[in-house]
Amino acid sequence: MCSLNNNAPGPTSAVSYMSVKCVDVRKNHHKTKWLMPWGPNHCDKIRDIEEAIPREIEANDIVFSVHIPLPSMEMSPWFQFMLFILQLDIAFKLNNQIRENAEVSMDVSLAYRDDMLAEWTEMAHERVPRKLKCTFTSPKTPEHEGRYYECDVLPFMEIGSVAHKFYLLNIRLPVNEKKKINVGIGEIKDIRLVGIHQNGGFTKVWFAMKTFLTPSIFIVMVWYWRRITRMSRPPVLLEKVIFALGISMTFINIPVEWFSIGFDWTWMLLFGDIRQGIFYAMLLSFWIIFCGEHMMDQHERNHIAGYWKQVGPIAVGSFCLFIFDMCERGVQLTNPFYSIWTTDVGTELAMAFIIVAGICLCLYFLFLCFMVFQVFRNISGKQSSLPAMSKVRRLHYEGLIFRFKFLMLITLACAAMTVIFFIVSQVTEGHWKWGGVTVQVNSAFFTGIYGMWNLYVFALMFLYAPSHKNYGEDQSNGDLGVHSGEELQLTTTITHVDGPTEIYKLTRKEAQE
């Protein structure tokens, strides 16, 4: 088990539920009545399957009932979502073994209510097939009858909102020997569920961060663009891309999640994934353009078409990510029991996506490191001109170059953390569904990465906003051809009316030639 921090609380909590075996002997099992596992109107219960035999209770009359949450507790909209995984306790019997490629078919009904005395309202009713992947480690002999198979956990249900206080699951395992339904699946003794939801305390901190950061980034973004438009020249590519990055950051910041507290919006998870995907695509594209604009010469700069080989794959990857998300969470809007992980093909595709995405991001980061190295080498080649400058201007340029190199190193650090965050978040979301390795992530990691993105975008817009202050009217106008009284800024990539900016003159290839 890998833990990023054992002290800070996790953003999610997991609660275990053991189903109660209820008896429903009505002819029509699907109408009106909901079977409660406990409480004043609890169902007629049996302790185990063996008790059903002397009472002549058939398998079709047994209903596994689960009440969410546990007794004396309530669910809350602050939990944001509910994800459930299922674990079957299957006993080994010589005359009822699990056959190869066995599939369990469950008839599942989900209901909700907001008062313990109110009637249950049906929320979903689906036939839920799941493939069994079980192994029996002991010899299959009579003396080992009754021992349990070791079965993989199964994805069961995901709901994108928690708008009600109480939920009820009634799970039936209908047997039909003629149609081979639930035949050859072993002797199912119990059904256990694990429910995962977001912690209410983390949700409040998350909402507070978004509420504070949204106006902060928006104000800086408006200020930045006003500074750009006041220039006597049109905006250049890098300035436009920084502005687009600010828009995508503002889009992901807008705290629309506040509405989920009062409205039953099950599409919020999908909408959140789309917003984050847009930001990822914009951020990855920006880093390529940001480095490229400091490597190209005058003729190649300021043309988005020059980056199609790098930005194109990012756009294609983002589109594939969107399709992958729609294939699961898009379908879950109408069927909360659907999961792409339930079939062998779906599981392989999902696993392949996570692995390929992780490898591609690592390769992207290595390519970005190479581009930053090229930029550093380009600037170092220009520093040989600094000793010929006057002391004041030389110190000014040295400080400017130092700040620029520091920003490039911060860019690399931000890129590395973003790659780590994406991989860890994908593994965290998927580990319940495929079993095996567990990665525990605390709330400080999520809020820290989110704060880092905002701070980085804020710093970019602040540092790259054109300055309208004059720098030294009495300075020599021969140093690198910078005219006296020109407008100074950290960097833009094209000339002003008054002359080219400073980092541009240092990084362009023409100066070296």
Side-chain angles (χ1 to χ4, degrees), residues 33-38 64-69 108-113 120-121 123-124 166-170:
K33 189 176 181 181
W34 293 89
L35 302 179
M36 273 283 291
W38 43 260
F64 296 86
S65 180
V66 179
H67 187 276
I68 306 164
V108 184
S109 299
L110 174 66
Y112 68 85
R113 67 183 180 185
W120 290 102
T121 302
M123 186 174 175
F166 310 105
Y167 294 86
L168 180 65
L169 279 167
N170 280 180

Side-chain angles (χ1 to χ4, degrees), residues 16-22 47-49 59 62-67 84-91 104-108 128 130 132 148 154 156 169-174 182 185 187-194:
S16 297
Y17 299 92
M18 175 64 79
S19 64
V20 171
K21 291 173 280 295
C22 296
R47 287 176 298 176
D48 52 49
I49 300 298
I62 298 176
V63 180
F64 296 86
S65 180
V66 179
H67 187 276
F84 284 87
I85 60 166
L86 180 142
Q87 178 76 57
L88 297 175
D89 291 342
I90 305 178
V104 59
S105 180
M106 297 172 284
D107 187 280
V108 184
V128 182
R130 293 291 186 266
L132 294 179
Y148 288 101
L154 303 173
F156 183 66
L169 279 167
N170 280 180
I171 305 172
R172 294 175 170 85
L173 300 175
N182 288 331
I185 60 172
E187 187 174 294
I188 297 178
K189 294 286 190 179
D190 281 301
I191 294 179
R192 292 181 286 131
L193 295 176
V194 176

Side-chain angles (χ1 to χ4, degrees), residues 433-454:
K433 300 171 183 176
W434 71 64
V437 64
T438 300
V439 179
Q440 292 181 341
V441 182
N442 61 55
S443 55
F445 181 65
F446 281 101
T447 54
I449 294 294
Y450 181 67
M452 177 196 70
W453 287 338
N454 277 273

Side-chain angles (χ1 to χ4, degrees), residues 31-44:
K31 298 226 175 179
T32 65
K33 189 176 181 181
W34 293 89
L35 302 179
M36 273 283 291
W38 43 260
N41 298 317
H42 68 80
C43 64
D44 180 16

Side-chain angles (χ1 to χ4, degrees), residues 103-164:
E103 181 179 273
V104 59
S105 180
M106 297 172 284
D107 187 280
V108 184
S109 299
L110 174 66
Y112 68 85
R113 67 183 180 185
D114 293 302
D115 189 286
M116 289 299 292
L117 301 178
E119 293 293 325
W120 290 102
T121 302
E122 184 176 284
M123 186 174 175
H125 178 205
E126 298 287 344
R127 189 178 186 87
V128 182
R130 293 291 186 266
K131 274 199 169 185
L132 294 179
K133 294 182 180 179
C134 302
T135 57
F136 191 68
T137 55
S138 303
K140 293 182 178 181
T141 56
E143 56 266 23
H144 291 113
E145 281 195 342
R147 290 194 177 186
Y148 288 101
Y149 286 88
E150 293 182 3
C151 298
D152 291 348
V153 296
L154 303 173
F156 183 66
M157 179 180 73
E158 185 171 9
I159 302 175
S161 67
V162 190
H164 306 286

Side-chain angles (χ1 to χ4, degrees), residues 188-362:
I188 297 178
K189 294 286 190 179
D190 281 301
I191 294 179
R192 292 181 286 131
L193 295 176
V194 176
I196 303 167
H197 61 78
Q198 190 163 289
N199 286 329
F202 172 77
T203 303
K204 293 174 182 177
V205 172
W206 190 252
F207 285 11
M209 281 188 67
K210 287 197 163 196
T211 304
F212 169 75
L213 290 171
T214 299
S216 303
I217 295 294
F218 180 76
I219 291 171
V220 174
M221 184 179 67
V222 172
W223 169 82
Y224 168 79
W225 194 243
R226 286 191 62 190
R227 299 295 288 258
I228 296 295
T229 54
R230 287 172 59 188
M231 304 298 291
S232 56
R233 55 169 177 78
V236 296
L237 176 61
L238 184 56
E239 292 167 340
K240 293 177 182 177
V241 174
I242 291 175
F243 182 64
L245 184 63
I247 292 176
S248 64
M249 189 77 255
T250 303
F251 183 52
I252 200 175
N253 278 344
I254 298 174
V256 294
E257 290 87 352
W258 280 110
F259 291 102
S260 66
I261 303 303
F263 298 93
D264 187 10
W265 288 354
T266 56
W267 47 266
M268 285 301 296
L269 281 179
L270 178 62
F271 182 63
D273 287 346
I274 293 173
R275 288 199 299 173
Q276 191 161 349
I278 292 173
F279 177 72
Y280 275 138
M282 192 64 241
L283 190 62
L284 297 179
S285 301
F286 165 76
W287 283 330
I288 294 294
I289 296 172
F290 177 61
C291 293
E293 287 295 280
H294 293 96
M295 293 168 56
M296 294 182 178
D297 59 24
Q298 173 73 18
H299 178 71
E300 295 173 326
R301 288 183 177 187
N302 204 31
H303 296 91
I304 186 65
Y307 298 97
W308 71 270
K309 291 182 179 179
Q310 296 88 357
V311 176
I314 295 175
V316 172
S318 300
F319 181 74
C320 293
L321 179 65
F322 171 74
I323 296 299
F324 175 79
D325 213 39
M326 287 298 296
C327 287
E328 182 161 43
R329 284 188 170 154
V331 178
Q332 286 173 349
L333 295 178
T334 56
N335 179 10
F337 304 104
Y338 175 81
S339 175
I340 198 173
W341 297 83
T342 56
T343 63
D344 291 338
V345 174
T347 300
E348 290 175 2
L349 285 175
M351 286 291 293
F353 165 78
I354 294 175
I355 294 171
V356 171
I359 294 173
C360 289
L361 277 175
C362 291

Side-chain angles (χ1 to χ4, degrees), residues 72-88:
S72 304
M73 301 180 71
E74 293 182 359
M75 301 302 286
S76 167
W78 292 102
F79 294 163
Q80 291 294 287
F81 69 89
M82 291 191 299
L83 170 67
F84 284 87
I85 60 166
L86 180 142
Q87 178 76 57
L88 297 175

